Amino acid sequence: MSTVVQQVTKNQLSTLQKKYQNYLLGKTPPYSLFSAKKNGVTITAYNSGKVVFQGNNAESEAAACGLTTTPSAPTKKAKSAHSTNRLPADFDTWSVLGSDEVGNGSYFGPLVTVAAYAEKSQLNTLKALGVKDSKLLTDPQIQTIAKKLITIIPYQPLVLTPEKYNQVQQQHNAVAMKVLLHHQALTLLQQKLVSTPQAILIDAFTTEKNFQQYLHKEQRSFSLPTYFVTKGEQHHLAVAAASIIARHLFLEALKEESAACGVLLPSGAGNKSDQVAVKLLEQGGLPLLGRYAKLHFANTEKALKLWRK
């Protein structure tokens, strides 16, 4: 299946809506003007002017609309983008915007992305508070530190509930989703700051090339020098702080969702998650499960088989 993405004007959007008025689908993704299906191609037009053609005949369908299917020439890589393995020697002393996400590997609970700003004058305070790689901390320690941390540093959380996650996942794969969330969290936080960070550090969940390609496809970019590293929380306290806050918010959301559905929702995606999913299916079928679980996980099929026995 191929995908063609085009940016069009408001007039073109209106013309396309009329063209596909006899092929409209009942459900439309968030922020979209319409969604239609013709000749095996799904056409989704967004209010932003972006139109996505998906299917084996995506190129020909886009061409039939008078839209070019030749990919636009990629812009030169911004001078602000830097190699993942070339952090300056004193980078851990810089004032940095960092981001991380939690919940991506958990069947239940939201996907939480957090951007945090650690100014150089605050680094010693953060160390004294116990901020470090969240994988070296227990959940109780994380929650204790996070409650103090959110009163000290600027941060921007984005919490994608399972229900919202399932909607977005129909249009974006997991990597694209995280790229957009990281970009939005970092951009929103940067706009709130009085001082200017020296750089952005992203805990790499994909290659830098992939990240930049997804950003380019969505016509987005960063205005600051941007670095991508694996285990980013070990390279700067900004990412460590973002990770701690994200884990705290994830645990709090999981607790609230457990109370709402009357079942203790586990973290992770093991056999325990399958058993809990069966309980939710028994209570309200797939619609209820979709309010608390990320349905594209393999756990869903396993739970459905157990439920139908």
Side-chain angles (χ1 to χ4, degrees):
M1 183 177 75
S2 59
T3 300
V4 173
V5 180
Q6 296 291 334
Q7 192 71 28
V8 302
T9 64
K10 287 184 178 180
N11 288 337
Q12 287 175 313
L13 267 182
S14 180
T15 300
L16 287 174
Q17 189 172 22
K18 292 177 183 177
K19 176 181 175 66
Y20 290 111
Q21 62 182 349
N22 295 326
Y23 304 92
L24 297 178
L25 297 175
K27 291 184 66 175
T28 58
Y31 312 114
S32 66
L33 181 64
F34 71 85
S35 188
K37 191 163 187 177
K38 183 183 179 184
N39 299 329
V41 179
T42 300
I43 304 96
T44 305
Y46 292 88
N47 295 321
S48 63
K50 183 181 74 173
V51 182
V52 181
F53 297 81
Q54 290 180 306
N56 293 331
N57 302 311
E59 290 87 353
S60 58
E61 186 63 32
C65 295
L67 302 176
T68 176
T69 59
T70 304
S72 57
T75 56
K76 291 182 179 181
K77 186 179 256 188
K79 292 180 180 179
S80 62
H82 292 271
S83 171
T84 57
N85 298 317
R86 295 180 184 173
L87 290 179
D90 61 344
F91 187 81
D92 61 346
T93 67
W94 287 19
S95 295
V96 170
L97 265 175
S99 63
D100 200 2
E101 86 286 334
V102 172
N104 182 62
S106 181
Y107 182 53
F108 292 108
L111 174 60
V112 181
T113 307
V114 171
Y117 179 47
E119 202 164 12
K120 62 173 65 178
S121 62
Q122 295 178 303
L123 296 178
N124 288 334
T125 300
L126 297 184
K127 289 178 184 177
L129 190 60
V131 175
K132 58 183 176 181
D133 185 348
S134 62
K135 297 179 185 65
L136 302 176
L137 300 168
T138 64
D139 282 344
Q141 288 175 323
I142 285 173
Q143 290 179 301
T144 298
I145 295 172
K147 288 174 183 177
K148 297 176 183 177
L149 193 55
I150 59 179
T151 67
I152 297 174
I153 63 171
Y155 72 101
Q156 174 64 57
L158 293 177
V159 180
L160 202 63
T161 65
E163 195 168 20
K164 183 71 173 178
Y165 179 100
N166 292 328
Q167 293 175 3
V168 177
Q169 194 271 331
Q170 294 177 26
Q171 297 299 322
H172 298 284
N173 63 38
V175 174
M177 198 184 306
K178 288 194 288 184
V179 167
L180 295 176
L181 288 169
H182 276 259
H183 180 272
Q184 185 177 6
L186 288 162
T187 301
L188 289 174
L189 181 55
Q190 186 181 347
Q191 290 171 351
K192 295 177 183 178
L193 300 178
V194 176
S195 59
T196 302
Q198 291 173 265
I200 289 172
L201 179 63
I202 297 173
D203 188 43
F205 48 84
T206 186
T207 64
E208 179 184 347
K209 182 179 179 181
N210 273 348
F211 196 104
Q212 296 290 4
Q213 284 178 339
Y214 280 118
L215 278 189
H216 176 67
K217 189 181 294 185
E218 298 292 331
Q219 298 185 354
R220 301 187 186 190
S221 61
F222 290 113
S223 60
L224 291 171
T226 304
Y227 298 86
F228 303 81
V229 294
T230 55
K231 300 180 180 179
E233 60 270 61
Q234 297 179 10
H235 294 275
H236 200 281
L237 292 180
V239 176
S243 179
I244 288 171
I245 295 172
R247 179 67 181 173
H248 166 66
L249 294 176
F250 171 80
L251 292 172
E252 289 298 299
L254 201 60
K255 188 189 302 181
E256 291 174 5
E257 290 175 5
S258 295
C261 69
V263 180
L264 184 61
L265 302 176
S267 178
N271 292 332
K272 192 173 181 180
S273 295
D274 300 340
Q275 300 300 325
V276 171
V278 171
K279 291 181 181 179
L280 292 177
L281 287 169
E282 290 171 345
Q283 290 181 20
L286 207 55
L288 179 63
L289 182 61
R291 291 174 57 186
Y292 301 102
K294 304 176 183 77
L295 294 180
H296 72 99
F297 276 44
N299 301 78
T300 301
E301 286 302 317
K302 294 177 186 176
L304 286 170
K305 288 178 181 178
L306 291 171
W307 179 45
R308 289 165 179 162
K309 282 186 178 179

